Each structure stands twice: as C-alpha cells, then as structure tokens.
Amino acid sequence: MSERYSRQILFSGIGEQGQHKLAAKHVLLIGAGALGSANAELLVRAGIGKLTIVDRDYVEESNLQRQQLYTEKDVEQKMPKAAAAKKHLEEINSDTEVHVHIMDATSQSLEPLLQNADLLMDATDNFETRLVINDLAHKYNIPWIFGACVGSFGISFTVIPGKTPCLNCLLRAIPLQGMTCETAGIIGPAVQMTVAYQSAEALKILTENREVLRETFVSFDLWSGQFHNIKTGKSKKADCLTCGSDPSYPFLQLENTTKTAVLCGRETVQVRPPYAVELELERLVRDFSAMGYEVKANPYLVSAQNENERIVVFKDGRALVHGTKDVIHAKSVYQKIMG
C-alpha cells in the first residue's frame, strides 16, 4: 500500500488488510449536497475502489456555506452537483473510480445501479427517497446508512437487512419528519457531525468489521448540547412490509411515489403526495414565511409567492407549482417544502 494511506493503515481497526478491502469496495451514494459531498470526500480520501453518485440538482451560492466540495466557479457555471463532485474528487484521488448520474433518484433509476454495490449511503433531502433506498437495500440485501440534519440537529442510523429494524419500522417508533433546511436553516457543524457518524459506520462495513457497528439510533443537537443514543431492537416489526416476514417493498411500487402532472395549457405542475395526509396549514404559513415567500391563506389552502415561483398547497397535501412545466423541478420544490 502507498504512503498515501499510511496513517489509516496504522489504525488497528483497519490495517493493511482493511485497506485492501476498501480498495475493492463499491459505494452507491444518493445525494451530492451537504451530507453527500462530505461523505464522498471522506470515502475517496480513505481509498474506496469505486463511488457512484446520483443527484438531480446544480450548485447554488447558498450551498457553499456547508457543501464542502464546491466552489464559486461551480456556482458561476451552474454545474450539476454530481458533475462538479466528480471533477473535484478525481483531483483528490485519481485511484478511485467515480461514476455520476445526473438524475432524479427513484426506484426505477436506482435499481440498475445496485449491481456489485457493497453499501448504500443516504445523503438525500426527503423521506420518500429514503424509503425507496430502504426497500431496495432489503430487496437486494445491501446495508445502508441513514443520515439527516437540520438547524443544529442531526440523526443517523445504520440499517443491516435481516438484523436491524429498517427505516419503515423506525418511522412507526420515532418521530423523524418535520423541519427542513429551507425552513429552519442549518449550520455546518451539524453536517460534519452527521457525516462523522455516517462515514465511520461506512468504514466499518467496507473493511468488514461489522462486529463493531453501532446498534443504536443516534441524535444530537450541537447548539443545546443534547445527545441521545436510542436502542432500537424493539422497533423491528414482524409485519413490516419492508423487513418483516412477508415483505412486499411498498415504496418500490409506482402507486406509492409522489405523483406529478403538467396541467394542460398552463405552466403549472400538480404534485400529489404518495399517501393520504392532512396538513397543518398554519405550520405551512410559518414555514413559507421563514423562507421569504409572500403568503396568503384561507381554511382550504396556502398560496406562497416569491420572485421566482408561486406555489399553492391544499390541505390534502396536493400542490400546484406555477411557472414551470419541469416535473423534476416541481417535485424538488415540493419535497423541500414538505420535508
């Protein structure tokens, strides 16, 4: 092994044998934003053999505060995050094979990329995609590492199919959904701490040291100094449709994905949630206001407008994104708002 990895090889948990194992492993990373760019850099610097990145977005100025791979030049050129990540990662370590896909992460787009993947890394910004990752991981028996952060708060959990509860189980036991970076902001240290938990678990899996994997759900708030390490063994459900005794992988089915439709004769995309909801419109008013939108509301809907777009959200979760016919953009806007 080269001098490049000498300090990592000196670490007893990895050693020379572990370094050789890293060089033979393939990670599929979904998302190239704050968590994605930091995890990608750590894995590439560690010497993994192959990294595949999926992301649909491009680099904006507001990303630079916390998304460590990107530069002002990437913003000026409106570079897709995946393409910019590939360029910078190859400059960091030319030995790692980096593949990128600039596309929406859906069950149909992700499934062909799973061949020979040793680990799935979650760096997404919405729970719909995470539940798709969760189903795919269990269908193909691939471990995956969940991570999310907002404000000064972060959470992470390592999912091992056949052993741990899955994300679907956890959602029934632990309240995970709520604020987004668009509504509550985020500080860089919350990203870095979440990535530290994710990437440490990744190194354990990729060097085949599963006996030291953390078996708890970890959450922290760096601003208030709170930290929780939650045991999850009792969260695993025998009737879970993802990891139970008779799995059907519900989030891989088309009827359980967010529905989009371009309205005829209008520059408007309708977005419907994948399951029935009843929204708190007052919370939506607060969230939109915090994001700088001009907001109007009545008992049935909330209308929010800024200089770029107008969005109308109904109590049943349905939304109209005006000013576009791009369904991927409309879906992205919807997921940022809804969390």
Side-chain angles (χ1 to χ4, degrees):
M1 279 289 154
S2 71
E3 178 67 18
R4 171 192 284 266
Y5 307 114
S6 61
R7 302 304 184 270
Q8 189 164 275
I9 290 170
L10 284 172
F11 175 64
S12 60
I14 295 179
E16 193 161 339
Q17 187 176 14
Q19 193 63 50
H20 280 290
K21 289 177 180 178
L22 275 174
K25 294 298 195 297
H26 172 206
V27 175
L28 174 57
L29 175 67
I30 300 98
L35 294 179
S37 59
N39 270 303
E41 182 172 338
L42 280 166
L43 290 170
V44 166
R45 288 188 185 277
I48 64 164
K50 181 178 178 181
L51 177 66
T52 300
I53 302 172
V54 176
D55 191 273
R56 65 188 175 189
D57 208 354
Y58 63 91
V59 184
E60 299 178 275
E61 188 177 20
S62 64
N63 300 149
L64 299 181
Q65 167 253 349
R66 67 197 180 281
Q67 299 184 18
Q68 67 183 50
L69 267 184
Y70 308 125
T71 66
E72 292 178 350
K73 188 173 182 180
D74 295 325
V75 175
E76 291 168 11
Q77 296 177 344
K78 295 191 181 301
M79 285 289 289
K81 290 181 181 178
K86 177 179 172 67
K87 175 181 180 296
H88 299 311
L89 291 169
E90 288 178 340
E91 290 172 348
I92 289 168
N93 190 348
S94 58
D95 290 335
T96 297
E97 189 180 333
V98 181
H99 297 266
V100 299
H101 298 269
I102 304 165
M103 64 185 186
D104 200 17
T106 66
S107 58
Q108 293 76 33
S109 65
L110 291 177
E111 200 157 5
L113 306 180
L114 296 176
Q115 187 174 8
N116 301 320
D118 299 289
L119 175 66
L120 308 182
M121 291 288 285
D122 164 39
T124 62
D125 60 2
N126 67 88
F127 273 85
E128 180 182 336
T129 306
R130 290 185 177 110
L131 288 165
V132 168
I133 296 169
N134 189 54
D135 272 8
L136 288 172
H138 285 79
K139 182 178 179 180
Y140 292 96
N141 194 31
I142 304 170
W144 78 281
I145 302 174
F146 159 65
C149 53
V150 65
S152 57
F153 175 77
I155 51 181
S156 182
F157 184 67
T158 302
V159 181
I160 305 297
K163 182 178 180 182
T164 68
C166 75
L167 183 62
N168 206 8
C169 293
L170 288 180
L171 286 173
R172 295 157 67 180
I174 303 172
L176 298 180
Q177 292 172 282
M179 298 182 296
T180 71
C181 294
E182 303 293 322
T183 60
I186 189 167
I187 58 172
V191 175
Q192 298 300 323
M193 182 65 82
T194 306
V195 169
Y197 280 109
Q198 286 187 287
S199 58
E201 293 291 280
L203 288 176
K204 295 173 191 177
I205 291 171
L206 297 172
T207 59
E208 301 174 14
N209 284 293
R210 293 196 182 192
E211 69 280 0
V212 292
L213 284 171
R214 176 174 38 80
E215 297 181 350
T216 56
F217 177 95
V218 65
S219 72
F220 59 85
D221 188 328
L222 294 176
W223 207 253
S224 67
Q226 294 181 339
F227 176 86
H228 300 283
N229 222 6
I230 304 169
K231 294 182 179 179
T232 61
K234 293 183 180 179
S235 300
K236 189 170 175 60
K237 307 296 182 185
D239 63 346
C240 176
L241 297 178
T242 296
C243 71
S245 55
D246 187 22
S248 60
Y249 310 117
F251 297 96
L252 302 185
Q253 298 168 19
L254 286 176
E255 61 267 25
N256 289 331
T257 60
T258 298
K259 309 297 190 302
T260 56
V262 180
L263 300 190
C264 184
R266 299 166 62 188
E267 281 203 348
T268 299
V269 178
Q270 176 180 268
V271 186
R272 290 194 292 112
Y275 41 80
V277 297
E278 186 170 345
L279 297 178
E280 281 183 56
L281 296 184
E282 288 149 1
R283 182 185 72 82
L284 269 182
V285 169
R286 292 194 301 270
D287 289 349
F288 273 122
S289 297
M291 294 164 64
Y293 284 84
E294 181 183 337
V295 185
K296 295 180 181 179
N298 60 39
Y300 311 102
L301 59 84
V302 175
S303 175
Q305 184 163 359
N306 63 17
E307 59 185 15
N308 299 316
E309 59 207 355
R310 183 165 69 93
I311 306 157
V312 176
V313 183
F314 297 84
K315 201 165 186 176
D316 64 358
R318 185 170 52 89
L320 299 177
V321 182
H322 296 279
T324 184
K325 291 183 179 180
D326 185 339
V327 296
I328 292 177
H329 170 72
K331 187 177 175 182
S332 175
V333 169
Y334 182 84
Q335 290 172 337
K336 284 179 180 179
I337 294 164
M338 304 303 287

